[in-house]
Amino acid sequence: MFRFLVPRFLATVLSAVFHPLLVPSYLFYIVCYQLPGVVLRPLLPDRWLVLGVVLLFTFVLPTLAPACCCMRA
């Protein structure tokens, strides 16, 4: 029984970490912070704000939309 729990737990963790709604935020983070020479704008202090907006529009709003639809029905 134990041999099936570890792969299932690992699959659950990997599914949560690499959820398709989070991938655009990861990509934006990698481009802005790991490859700083590629992007000159926005400036470094403003990148957290832009990352927050990207996270809001690519993860938070799509996650809340089905919940709002279910509440109205």
Side-chain angles (χ1 to χ4, degrees):
M1 181 170 169
F2 179 73
R3 66 184 178 139
F4 293 115
L5 290 178
V6 173
R8 184 175 295 168
F9 176 74
L10 182 63
T12 304
V13 169
L14 288 175
S15 293
V17 170
F18 293 110
H19 193 279
L21 292 176
L22 291 172
V23 172
S25 300
Y26 295 155
L27 180 63
F28 184 81
Y29 174 81
I30 289 170
V31 168
C32 283
Y33 290 99
Q34 304 304 319
L35 305 169
V38 174
V39 178
L40 297 176
R41 298 269 191 249
L43 298 175
L44 192 58
D46 297 331
R47 289 183 189 170
W48 286 109
L49 177 66
V50 176
L51 181 62
V53 171
V54 168
L55 186 65
L56 176 72
F57 284 108
T58 61
F59 180 71
V60 176
L61 290 178
T63 303
L64 292 177
C68 292
C69 291
C70 291
M71 292 173 72
R72 296 185 83 194

